[in-house]
């Protein structure tokens, strides 16, 4: 018995090692994944003393199992063997019961590799140890025995998801106790035969056809999901790249913090500027002193600047022959092109209001965008302005 168990374990470990060497890694496999359940039916018959297959017993059962890898799996099955004789003769419909703990090897995946989804047709082996109970032995008593099962599975995986599997399984079932021949009628009398656990005279052949359903997995499929192994050099390179990106991210975070502090300071200065009266400290102009101040980045004339526009309009109405040039400026913050356009827009906004609101002829007004400067007024923010020159 120990030799049989050790042999089964060695085969399973060698199959797993061979699969691992194929460069495939199984992902997203939890303990609750890769379980299946099925039903089966078939026939069994004695291996010897069975001329013309007269003693053929129908059988049926269920199977529950789990695939640990695409190559190795295990499960439990229960089979009922039905009597081929009349119920009046045997007093029972069920001739025997067998509960079997088995292991499976998928030979197709072992030798051909697993490609991420089951093949339409696969071949595997099944090996198991079980307990068998026979009803109504010739001596009139029931019989319990240890059994061993060896077989092949010819599997057909169906559907797009490969969730359903039909299999054809020829197998041989040995009575490991060796007390009875396969006809269950003659005791083995020699010591050698009693010690032979795999005696052909104490065995039966069976042929099963079954259907398995593979339950859904946490990876969203009914089967294993695989990917390529990474070598250590590639892993080290990826880790180095990750560390470099982390350093870049930390640097960006520090830069963002500095920018946020600058923005907060500028907002504070802007609020302070808004609270100050809009007085002109110094104007570069000839003939007309008013100036129109603008908010940063804006060419819209604020309400508090309307008085200065009105003073220019009053001057032009009182001096019908006078002409005025409106010079627009921008403070030096920002790009030169943007500030040039902003200075032109400010001068144009003042002209537009003089024409539309105060009825000044456009021919008497010239506009000029003078771009960025910090020379018109001492305070930088006061250089966002439009000033006037008479001609």
């Amino acid at each position: 018995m120990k030799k049989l168990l050790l042999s089964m374990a060695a085969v399973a470990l060698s199959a797993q090692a061979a699969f691992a060497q194929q460069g495939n890694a199984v992902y997203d496999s939890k303990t609750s994944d890769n379980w299946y359940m099925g039903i089966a039916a078939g026939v069994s018959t004695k291996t010897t003393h069975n001329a013309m297959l007269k003693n053929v017993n129908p059988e049926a059962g269920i199977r529950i199992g789990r695939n640990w890898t695409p190559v190795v799996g295990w499960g439990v099955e229960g089979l009922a063997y039905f009597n081929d004789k009349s119920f009046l003769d045997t007093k029972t419909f069920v001739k025997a019961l067998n509960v079997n703990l088995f292991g499976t090897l998928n030979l197709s995946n072992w030798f051909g590799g697993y490609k991420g989804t089951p093949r339409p047709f696969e071949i595997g082996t099944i090996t198991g140890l079980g307990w068998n109970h026979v009803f109504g032995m010739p001596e009139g008593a029931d019989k319990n025995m240890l059994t061993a099962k060896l077989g092949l599975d010819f599997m057909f995986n169906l559907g797009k998801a490969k969730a359903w599997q039909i299999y054809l399984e020829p197998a041989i079932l040995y009575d490991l106790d060796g007390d009875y021949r396969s006809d269950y009628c003659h005791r083995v009398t020699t010591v050698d035969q009693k010690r032979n656990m795999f005696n052909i005279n104490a065995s039966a052949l069976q042929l099963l056809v079954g259907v398995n359903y593979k339950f859904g997995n946490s990876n969203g499929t009914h089967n294993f999901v695989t990917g390529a192994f990474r070598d250590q050099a590639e892993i080290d390179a990826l880790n180095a790249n990750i560390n470099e990106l982390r350093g870049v991210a930390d640097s960006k975070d520090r830069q963002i913090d500095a920018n946020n502090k600058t923005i907060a300071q500028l907002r504070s200065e802007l609020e302070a500027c808004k609270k100050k009266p809009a007085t002109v400290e110094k104007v570069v102009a000839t003939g007309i002193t008013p100036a129109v101040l603008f908010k940063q980045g804006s060419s819209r004339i604020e309400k508090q600047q309307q008085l200065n526009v009105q003073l220019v309009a009053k001057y032009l109405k009182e001096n019908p022959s006078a002409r005025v040039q409106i010079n627009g400026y921008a403070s030096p913050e920002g790009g030169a092109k943007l500030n040039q356009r902003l200075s032109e827009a400010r001068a144009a906004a003042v002209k537009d209001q003089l024409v539309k609101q105060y009825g000044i002829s456009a021919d008497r007004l010239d506009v000029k965008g003078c771009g960025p400067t910090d020379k018109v007024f001492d305070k930088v923010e006061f250089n966002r302005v439009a000033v006037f020159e008479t001609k």
Side-chain angles (χ1 to χ4, degrees), residues 315-323 364:
Y315 169 80
L316 289 171
K317 289 180 179 180
E318 291 175 351
N319 300 275
S321 60
R323 291 175 54 84
R364 301 175 64 192

PDB file of all heavy atoms in Angstrom, residues 315-323 364:
ATOM      1  N   TYR A 315     -13.690 115.346 -21.895  1.00  0.00           N
ATOM      2  CA  TYR A 315     -12.641 116.157 -22.509  1.00  0.00           C
ATOM      3  C   TYR A 315     -12.833 116.236 -24.013  1.00  0.00           C
ATOM      4  O   TYR A 315     -12.709 117.304 -24.632  1.00  0.00           O
ATOM      5  CB  TYR A 315     -11.272 115.578 -22.165  1.00  0.00           C
ATOM      6  CG  TYR A 315     -10.141 116.183 -22.956  1.00  0.00           C
ATOM      7  CD1 TYR A 315      -9.598 117.412 -22.599  1.00  0.00           C
ATOM      8  CD2 TYR A 315      -9.647 115.531 -24.084  1.00  0.00           C
ATOM      9  CE1 TYR A 315      -8.574 117.988 -23.343  1.00  0.00           C
ATOM     10  CE2 TYR A 315      -8.625 116.094 -24.815  1.00  0.00           C
ATOM     11  CZ  TYR A 315      -8.091 117.316 -24.460  1.00  0.00           C
ATOM     12  OH  TYR A 315      -7.086 117.885 -25.204  1.00  0.00           O
ATOM     13  N   LEU A 316     -13.142 115.090 -24.660  1.00  0.00           N
ATOM     14  CA  LEU A 316     -13.289 115.067 -26.112  1.00  0.00           C
ATOM     15  C   LEU A 316     -14.515 115.859 -26.565  1.00  0.00           C
ATOM     16  O   LEU A 316     -14.515 116.475 -27.636  1.00  0.00           O
ATOM     17  CB  LEU A 316     -13.383 113.613 -26.598  1.00  0.00           C
ATOM     18  CG  LEU A 316     -12.077 112.815 -26.499  1.00  0.00           C
ATOM     19  CD1 LEU A 316     -12.336 111.333 -26.783  1.00  0.00           C
ATOM     20  CD2 LEU A 316     -11.028 113.364 -27.467  1.00  0.00           C
ATOM     21  N   LYS A 317     -15.578 115.839 -25.757  1.00  0.00           N
ATOM     22  CA  LYS A 317     -16.774 116.600 -26.133  1.00  0.00           C
ATOM     23  C   LYS A 317     -16.536 118.107 -25.973  1.00  0.00           C
ATOM     24  O   LYS A 317     -17.071 118.924 -26.730  1.00  0.00           O
ATOM     25  CB  LYS A 317     -17.953 116.148 -25.275  1.00  0.00           C
ATOM     26  CG  LYS A 317     -18.453 114.754 -25.635  1.00  0.00           C
ATOM     27  CD  LYS A 317     -19.634 114.342 -24.765  1.00  0.00           C
ATOM     28  CE  LYS A 317     -20.145 112.967 -25.149  1.00  0.00           C
ATOM     29  NZ  LYS A 317     -21.303 112.544 -24.326  1.00  0.00           N
ATOM     30  N   GLU A 318     -15.726 118.450 -24.975  1.00  0.00           N
ATOM     31  CA  GLU A 318     -15.440 119.878 -24.768  1.00  0.00           C
ATOM     32  C   GLU A 318     -14.393 120.401 -25.752  1.00  0.00           C
ATOM     33  O   GLU A 318     -14.251 121.621 -25.930  1.00  0.00           O
ATOM     34  CB  GLU A 318     -14.951 120.094 -23.325  1.00  0.00           C
ATOM     35  CG  GLU A 318     -16.041 119.870 -22.274  1.00  0.00           C
ATOM     36  CD  GLU A 318     -15.497 119.978 -20.862  1.00  0.00           C
ATOM     37  OE1 GLU A 318     -14.241 120.053 -20.708  1.00  0.00           O
ATOM     38  OE2 GLU A 318     -16.309 119.957 -19.913  1.00  0.00           O
ATOM     39  N   ASN A 319     -13.682 119.503 -26.386  1.00  0.00           N
ATOM     40  CA  ASN A 319     -12.658 119.876 -27.365  1.00  0.00           C
ATOM     41  C   ASN A 319     -12.923 119.098 -28.654  1.00  0.00           C
ATOM     42  O   ASN A 319     -12.290 118.061 -28.914  1.00  0.00           O
ATOM     43  CB  ASN A 319     -11.256 119.594 -26.830  1.00  0.00           C
ATOM     44  CG  ASN A 319     -10.934 120.348 -25.554  1.00  0.00           C
ATOM     45  OD1 ASN A 319     -10.507 121.492 -25.589  1.00  0.00           O
ATOM     46  ND2 ASN A 319     -11.179 119.691 -24.409  1.00  0.00           N
ATOM     47  N   PRO A 320     -13.841 119.569 -29.479  1.00  0.00           N
ATOM     48  CA  PRO A 320     -14.269 118.831 -30.678  1.00  0.00           C
ATOM     49  C   PRO A 320     -13.141 118.568 -31.665  1.00  0.00           C
ATOM     50  O   PRO A 320     -13.219 117.621 -32.446  1.00  0.00           O
ATOM     51  CB  PRO A 320     -15.337 119.738 -31.288  1.00  0.00           C
ATOM     52  CG  PRO A 320     -15.784 120.621 -30.168  1.00  0.00           C
ATOM     53  CD  PRO A 320     -14.603 120.819 -29.294  1.00  0.00           C
ATOM     54  N   SER A 321     -12.094 119.349 -31.680  1.00  0.00           N
ATOM     55  CA  SER A 321     -11.017 119.142 -32.659  1.00  0.00           C
ATOM     56  C   SER A 321      -9.901 118.234 -32.114  1.00  0.00           C
ATOM     57  O   SER A 321      -8.952 117.912 -32.831  1.00  0.00           O
ATOM     58  CB  SER A 321     -10.416 120.492 -33.060  1.00  0.00           C
ATOM     59  OG  SER A 321      -9.874 121.145 -31.908  1.00  0.00           O
ATOM     60  N   ALA A 322     -10.042 117.831 -30.855  1.00  0.00           N
ATOM     61  CA  ALA A 322      -8.976 117.025 -30.244  1.00  0.00           C
ATOM     62  C   ALA A 322      -9.070 115.563 -30.694  1.00  0.00           C
ATOM     63  O   ALA A 322     -10.144 115.025 -30.941  1.00  0.00           O
ATOM     64  CB  ALA A 322      -9.068 117.117 -28.726  1.00  0.00           C
ATOM     65  N   ARG A 323      -7.888 114.966 -30.774  1.00  0.00           N
ATOM     66  CA  ARG A 323      -7.786 113.529 -31.049  1.00  0.00           C
ATOM     67  C   ARG A 323      -7.015 112.876 -29.893  1.00  0.00           C
ATOM     68  O   ARG A 323      -6.142 113.517 -29.283  1.00  0.00           O
ATOM     69  CB  ARG A 323      -7.055 113.269 -32.363  1.00  0.00           C
ATOM     70  CG  ARG A 323      -7.839 113.708 -33.605  1.00  0.00           C
ATOM     71  CD  ARG A 323      -6.978 113.514 -34.866  1.00  0.00           C
ATOM     72  NE  ARG A 323      -6.471 112.152 -34.987  1.00  0.00           N
ATOM     73  CZ  ARG A 323      -7.151 111.147 -35.524  1.00  0.00           C
ATOM     74  NH1 ARG A 323      -8.383 111.372 -36.002  1.00  0.00           N
ATOM     75  NH2 ARG A 323      -6.618 109.952 -35.615  1.00  0.00           N
ATOM     76  N   ARG A 364     -11.652 109.857 -34.169  1.00  0.00           N
ATOM     77  CA  ARG A 364     -10.884 110.700 -33.254  1.00  0.00           C
ATOM     78  C   ARG A 364     -10.054 109.861 -32.265  1.00  0.00           C
ATOM     79  O   ARG A 364      -9.337 110.426 -31.433  1.00  0.00           O
ATOM     80  CB  ARG A 364     -11.822 111.615 -32.482  1.00  0.00           C
ATOM     81  CG  ARG A 364     -12.645 112.525 -33.387  1.00  0.00           C
ATOM     82  CD  ARG A 364     -13.647 113.322 -32.557  1.00  0.00           C
ATOM     83  NE  ARG A 364     -12.961 114.231 -31.616  1.00  0.00           N
ATOM     84  CZ  ARG A 364     -13.576 114.871 -30.626  1.00  0.00           C
ATOM     85  NH1 ARG A 364     -14.886 114.700 -30.443  1.00  0.00           N
ATOM     86  NH2 ARG A 364     -12.906 115.681 -29.817  1.00  0.00           N
TER      87      ARG A 364
END
